[in-house]
Structures are given as C-alpha cells and as structure tokens.
Coordinates of all heavy atoms in Angstrom, one line a residue:
L1 N 2.3 -8.3 3.1 CA 1.6 -9.0 2.0 C 0.6 -10.0 2.6 O -0.3 -10.6 1.9 CB 2.6 -9.8 1.1 CG 3.4 -8.9 0.2 CD1 4.6 -9.6 -0.4 CD2 2.5 -8.4 -1.0
L2 N 0.6 -10.3 3.9 CA -0.4 -11.1 4.6 C -1.7 -10.4 4.7 O -2.7 -11.1 5.1 CB 0.2 -11.7 5.9 CG 1.3 -12.6 5.8 CD1 1.9 -13.0 7.2 CD2 0.9 -13.9 5.1
R3 N -1.7 -9.1 4.5 CA -3.0 -8.4 4.6 C -3.7 -8.5 3.2 O -3.1 -8.0 2.2 CB -2.7 -6.9 5.0 CG -2.3 -6.7 6.4 CD -3.5 -6.7 7.3 NE -4.5 -5.7 7.1 CZ -5.1 -5.1 8.0 NH1 -4.9 -5.3 9.3 NH2 -6.1 -4.2 7.7
D4 N -4.9 -9.0 3.2 CA -5.6 -9.1 1.9 C -6.1 -7.7 1.4 O -6.4 -7.6 0.2 CB -6.9 -10.0 2.1 CG -6.6 -11.4 2.4 OD1 -5.4 -11.9 2.1 OD2 -7.4 -12.1 3.1
D5 N -6.1 -6.7 2.2 CA -6.5 -5.4 1.8 C -5.3 -4.5 1.4 O -5.5 -3.3 1.2 CB -7.4 -4.7 2.9 CG -6.6 -4.6 4.2 OD1 -5.5 -5.0 4.3 OD2 -7.2 -4.0 5.1
L6 N -4.2 -5.0 1.2 CA -3.0 -4.2 0.9 C -3.2 -3.4 -0.3 O -2.9 -2.2 -0.3 CB -1.7 -5.1 0.8 CG -0.4 -4.4 0.4 CD1 -0.1 -3.4 1.5 CD2 0.7 -5.4 0.2
E7 N -3.8 -4.0 -1.4 CA -4.0 -3.2 -2.6 C -4.9 -2.0 -2.4 O -4.7 -1.0 -3.0 CB -4.5 -4.1 -3.7 CG -3.5 -5.2 -4.2 CD -3.5 -6.5 -3.4 OE1 -3.9 -6.4 -2.2 OE2 -3.0 -7.5 -3.9
V8 N -5.9 -2.2 -1.6 CA -6.9 -1.2 -1.3 C -6.2 0.0 -0.6 O -6.4 1.2 -0.9 CB -8.0 -1.7 -0.4 CG1 -9.0 -0.6 0.1 CG2 -8.8 -2.8 -1.1
L9 N -5.3 -0.3 0.4 CA -4.6 0.7 1.1 C -3.6 1.4 0.2 O -3.4 2.6 0.3 CB -3.9 0.1 2.3 CG -4.8 -0.7 3.3 CD1 -4.0 -1.3 4.5 CD2 -5.9 0.2 3.9
V10 N -2.9 0.7 -0.6 CA -1.9 1.3 -1.5 C -2.7 2.2 -2.5 O -2.2 3.4 -2.8 CB -1.2 0.2 -2.3 CG1 -0.4 0.8 -3.5 CG2 -0.2 -0.6 -1.4
A11 N -3.8 1.8 -3.0 CA -4.5 2.6 -4.0 C -5.0 3.9 -3.3 O -4.9 5.0 -3.9 CB -5.7 1.8 -4.5
E12 N -5.5 3.8 -2.1 CA -5.9 5.0 -1.4 C -4.7 6.0 -1.1 O -4.8 7.2 -1.3 CB -6.6 4.7 -0.1 CG -7.0 5.8 0.8 CD -8.2 6.6 0.2 OE1 -8.7 6.2 -0.8 OE2 -8.5 7.7 0.7
A13 N -3.6 5.4 -0.7 CA -2.4 6.2 -0.4 C -1.9 6.9 -1.7 O -1.6 8.1 -1.7 CB -1.3 5.3 0.1
R14 N -2.0 6.2 -2.8 CA -1.5 6.8 -4.1 C -2.5 7.9 -4.4 O -2.1 9.0 -4.9 CB -1.5 5.7 -5.1 CG -1.1 6.3 -6.5 CD 0.3 6.9 -6.5 NE 0.6 7.5 -7.8 CZ 1.3 6.9 -8.7 NH1 1.8 5.6 -8.5 NH2 1.6 7.5 -9.9
Q15 N -3.8 7.7 -4.3 CA -4.8 8.7 -4.6 C -4.7 9.9 -3.8 O -4.9 11.1 -4.2 CB -6.2 8.1 -4.5 CG -7.3 9.0 -5.0 CD -7.8 10.0 -4.0 OE1 -7.8 9.7 -2.8 NE2 -8.2 11.2 -4.4
L16 N -4.2 9.8 -2.5 CA -4.0 10.9 -1.6 C -2.8 11.7 -1.9 O -2.6 12.8 -1.4 CB -4.0 10.4 -0.2 CG -5.3 9.8 0.4 CD1 -5.0 9.1 1.7 CD2 -6.3 11.0 0.7
G17 N -1.9 11.1 -2.7 CA -0.6 11.8 -3.0 C 0.6 11.4 -2.3 O 1.7 12.0 -2.4
Y18 N 0.6 10.3 -1.6 CA 1.8 9.7 -0.9 C 2.7 9.1 -2.0 O 2.2 8.6 -3.0 CB 1.4 8.6 0.0 CG 0.8 9.0 1.4 CD1 -0.6 8.8 1.6 CD2 1.6 9.4 2.4 CE1 -1.1 9.1 2.8 CE2 1.0 9.7 3.6 CZ -0.3 9.6 3.8 OH -0.9 9.8 5.1
Y19 N 4.0 9.1 -1.7 CA 4.9 8.2 -2.3 C 4.9 6.9 -1.5 O 5.2 6.9 -0.3 CB 6.3 8.8 -2.4 CG 7.3 7.9 -3.1 CD1 7.4 8.0 -4.5 CD2 8.1 7.0 -2.4 CE1 8.3 7.2 -5.2 CE2 9.0 6.2 -3.1 CZ 9.1 6.3 -4.5 OH 10.0 5.5 -5.2
T20 N 4.6 5.8 -2.2 CA 4.3 4.6 -1.4 C 5.4 3.6 -1.5 O 6.0 3.4 -2.6 CB 3.0 3.9 -1.9 OG1 3.1 3.7 -3.3 CG2 1.8 4.8 -1.6
N21 N 5.7 2.9 -0.4 CA 6.9 2.0 -0.3 C 6.4 0.7 0.4 O 5.8 0.8 1.5 CB 8.0 2.7 0.4 CG 9.2 1.8 0.6 OD1 9.4 0.8 -0.2 ND2 10.1 2.1 1.5
L22 N 6.6 -0.4 -0.2 CA 6.3 -1.7 0.4 C 7.6 -2.3 0.9 O 8.6 -2.5 0.1 CB 5.7 -2.6 -0.6 CG 5.4 -4.1 -0.1 CD1 4.3 -4.1 1.0 CD2 4.9 -4.9 -1.3
I23 N 7.7 -2.6 2.2 CA 8.9 -3.2 2.8 C 8.5 -4.6 3.1 O 7.7 -4.9 4.0 CB 9.2 -2.4 4.1 CG1 9.4 -0.9 3.8 CG2 10.4 -3.0 4.8 CD1 9.4 0.0 5.0
T24 N 9.2 -5.5 2.4 CA 8.7 -6.9 2.4 C 9.9 -7.9 2.4 O 11.0 -7.6 1.9 CB 7.8 -7.2 1.1 OG1 7.4 -8.5 1.1 CG2 8.6 -6.8 -0.2
S25 N 9.5 -9.1 2.9 CA 10.5 -10.3 2.8 C 10.3 -10.9 1.4 O 11.2 -11.7 1.0 CB 10.1 -11.3 3.8 OG 8.8 -11.9 3.5
G26 N 9.3 -10.6 0.6 CA 9.0 -11.1 -0.7 C 8.1 -12.3 -0.6 O 7.6 -12.7 -1.7

C-alpha cells in the first residue's frame, strides 16, 4: 500500500485476467 501506483497495477492485472490478491498489514 506504500506504492502510489498500486491501483494501476491491480487494474492492469485484472484486465489481463489474473486473480488478484493483496497481502497487507492493513
């Protein structure tokens, strides 16, 4: 979550067809 571009990367992964998982401390 310290990466400001996380949403960009998640959106691209979803568009590509990955199942996406965020592993976080919260």
